[in-house]
């Protein structure tokens, strides 16, 4: 591929990470104050003795020096997940069930959005916010729904902030979110390799290795990423306690986040929350490698198109019409 120079191979990435496998060496190697500041952000804060119990402080320090997710053994992943569960209990008396389920063999996820069926009610948006523990104070949304004029297929020409009764005559609706590009420019832009594509096609972020530079956000041609400027605020009784390390766990402040195809659900064989919530059946999700899946049916029998095909990002998100 002509882009080899710009896009390091997987083996180079692993080498880079292995040569830098703890955040202790990461900070040392960067040796700039900005990096130290960003690293401090990654754990939220390191407790003083006065603030934290000995156990809590020990756990937080172990968290601070843990490896990049891609370099952890399963044992280390289990330990990290256990620490996060215990910290949630100590800090907020929360009983989390945090998972680190790996990709399922023989699965590559794909998503379809039927623009003739969406009526713009936004149940998908609400379900996504609840499922993924999105910040309620600044109203973070992974999904955006655009009210479109007939004949236009670029959401940037639509109204993404409508507040009126829907559906409106002679308009149609288009949803956007992270499209989980096969050739994702966002992952190539990240200086700490904190974001990558998993074998099942889900583009994820290791929140603890993200330094919040937002290069990935600038690289995304689809406005797929969200940056949390402040500590996410969610009423305790609304927190979804069924979480995944790479998914809906509550992100520390100053991190990049985005749709993960509800990794905490889909890797357990469930549908994403948005698909389940859609009252009109406008959203279709499934395994692209399974010839009998609904998404394969859509790709074979419907008129489909993808956004900005000319960029060759190869999104795994198709729009279609009945
Ligand atoms: S839609 Fe944007 S954030 Fe999602 S994989 Fe593609 S480039 Fe990355
Ligand atoms: S903001 Fe994006 S590019 Fe920067 S470190 Fe985080 S994931 Fe990587």
């Amino acid at each position: 591929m002509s882009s080899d120079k710009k896009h390091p191979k997987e083996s180079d990435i692993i080498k880079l990470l292995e040569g830098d496998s703890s955040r202790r060496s990461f900070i040392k190697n960067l040796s700039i104050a900005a990096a130290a500041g960003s690293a401090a952000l990654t754990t939220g804060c390191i407790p003083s003795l006065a603030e934290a119990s000995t156990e809590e402080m020990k756990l937080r320090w172990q968290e601070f020096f843990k490896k990049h997710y891609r370099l952890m053994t399963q044992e280390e992943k289990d330990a990290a997940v256990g620490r996060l569960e215990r910290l949630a209990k100590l800090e907020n008396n929360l009983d989390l069930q945090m998972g680190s389920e790996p990709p399922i063999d023989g699965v590559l996820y794909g998503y379809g959005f039927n623009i003739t069926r969406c009526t713009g009610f936004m149940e998908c948006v609400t379900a996504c916010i609840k499922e993924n523990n999105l910040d309620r104070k600044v109203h973070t949304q992974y999904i955006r729904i655009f009210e479109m004029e007939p004949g236009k297929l670029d959401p940037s020409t639509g109204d993404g902030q409508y507040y009126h009764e829907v559906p409106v005559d002679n308009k149609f609706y288009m949803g956007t979110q992270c499209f989980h590009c096969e050739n994702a420019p966002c992952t190539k832009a990240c200086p700490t390799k904190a974001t990558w594509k998993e074998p099942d096609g889900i583009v994820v972020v290791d929140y603890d290795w993200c330094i919040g530079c937002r290069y990935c956000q600038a690289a995304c041609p689809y406005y797929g990423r969200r940056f949390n400027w402040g500590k996410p605020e969610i009423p305790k009784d609304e927190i979804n306690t069924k979480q995944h390390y790479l998914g809906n766990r509550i992100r520390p402040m100053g991190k990049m986040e985005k749709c993960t195809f509800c990794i905490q659900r889909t890797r357990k064989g469930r549908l994403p929350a948005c698909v389940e919530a859609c009252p009109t059946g406008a959203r279709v999700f499934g395994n692209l490698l399974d010839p009998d899946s609904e998404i394969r049916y859509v790709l074979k029998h419907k008129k489909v198109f993808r956004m900005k095909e000319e960029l060759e990002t190869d999104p795994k998100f198709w729009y279609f019409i009945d």
Side-chain angles (χ1 to χ4, degrees):
M1 188 161 64
S2 62
S3 52
D4 264 354
K5 255 191 195 160
K6 277 186 263 166
H7 306 150
K9 291 189 198 109
E10 187 85 350
S11 56
D12 296 333
I13 293 167
I14 297 294
K15 212 164 127 198
L16 186 150
L17 291 170
E18 277 172 344
D20 208 2
S21 64
S22 77
R23 268 179 293 167
R24 186 200 301 272
S25 57
F26 171 66
I27 294 163
K28 188 174 152 205
N29 289 347
L30 277 181
S31 69
I32 50 173
S38 299
L41 268 176
T42 61
T43 48
C45 58
I46 303 297
S48 70
L49 267 174
E51 287 172 338
S53 71
T54 307
E55 183 190 4
E56 187 182 330
M57 191 167 67
K58 188 175 151 205
L59 290 171
R60 285 229 220 154
W61 275 102
Q62 285 171 345
E63 271 296 282
F64 187 73
F65 288 110
K66 73 185 169 187
K67 288 180 188 167
H68 188 293
Y69 187 82
R70 290 172 95 182
L71 295 180
M72 288 183 198
T73 61
Q74 192 54 50
E75 204 177 31
E76 287 166 334
K77 285 175 188 169
D78 293 344
V81 158
R83 273 196 305 273
L84 291 169
E85 285 178 346
R86 182 69 185 142
L87 275 169
K89 184 74 183 167
L90 289 171
E91 290 167 354
N92 298 312
N93 197 26
L94 263 178
D95 292 309
L96 298 187
Q97 294 141 56
M98 175 101 54
S100 61
E101 290 82 5
I104 302 167
D105 281 345
V107 170
L108 182 68
Y109 293 115
Y111 202 115
F113 186 99
N114 187 336
I115 56 174
T116 43
R117 284 212 195 166
C118 180
T119 45
F121 278 107
M122 297 203 200
E123 274 92 338
C124 51
V125 174
T126 307
C128 174
I129 289 170
K130 288 184 183 161
E131 171 65 33
N132 290 295
N133 289 319
L134 301 193
D135 190 309
R136 309 296 204 268
K137 190 179 169 200
V138 294
H139 306 294
T140 305
Q141 285 180 216
Y142 292 165
I143 300 173
R144 292 187 72 195
I145 304 289
F146 292 86
E147 191 171 72
M148 306 287 297
E149 298 291 336
K152 307 258 176 158
L153 289 174
D154 177 356
S156 67
T157 65
D159 178 2
Q161 292 182 319
Y162 58 88
Y163 292 100
H164 52 68
E165 244 181 72
V166 288
V168 171
D169 281 350
N170 211 27
K171 304 264 188 194
F172 73 100
Y173 298 86
M174 274 180 97
T176 65
Q177 56 206 70
C178 169
F179 294 157
H180 298 274
C181 307
E182 189 60 24
N183 185 23
C186 56
T187 61
K188 290 159 192 153
C190 178
T192 62
K193 307 300 167 205
T195 181
W196 69 95
K197 179 171 59 71
E198 289 269 281
D200 56 6
I202 302 180
V203 176
V204 293
V205 179
D206 182 336
Y207 307 117
D208 297 316
W209 273 72
C210 171
I211 56 169
C213 65
R214 305 171 69 205
Y215 288 0
C216 57
Q217 192 174 34
C220 171
Y222 304 113
Y223 188 60
R225 292 185 168 242
R226 309 286 179 265
F227 185 69
N228 60 343
W229 292 95
K231 192 168 186 257
E233 289 187 21
I234 308 161
K236 191 174 167 187
D237 61 349
E238 291 181 22
I239 291 173
N240 180 3
T241 55
K242 293 185 175 58
Q243 301 179 2
H244 191 286
Y245 189 96
L246 297 173
N248 62 341
R249 70 180 165 109
I250 298 172
R251 284 67 62 188
M253 182 179 77
K255 302 298 173 180
M256 192 52 71
E257 55 184 275
K258 61 176 205 56
C259 159
T260 64
F261 277 168
C262 285
I263 195 170
Q264 65 281 354
R265 295 167 64 103
T266 47
R267 284 198 179 165
K268 290 180 178 163
R270 299 178 67 200
L271 289 171
C274 51
V275 175
E276 209 169 84
C278 177
T280 63
R283 292 172 175 268
V284 172
F285 181 82
N287 182 6
L288 292 167
L289 304 182
D290 175 1
D292 297 325
S293 65
E294 198 181 352
I295 185 70
R296 283 284 294 272
Y297 179 88
V298 165
L299 296 184
K300 191 169 174 194
H301 296 285
K302 305 285 183 180
K303 283 184 183 160
V304 299
F305 68 95
R306 295 187 288 187
M307 295 271 296
K308 302 184 183 176
E309 288 264 25
E310 70 282 6
L311 298 179
E312 298 183 353
T313 48
D314 199 1
K316 287 193 286 307
F317 190 106
W318 287 265
Y319 294 97
F320 66 100
I321 51 177
D322 279 331

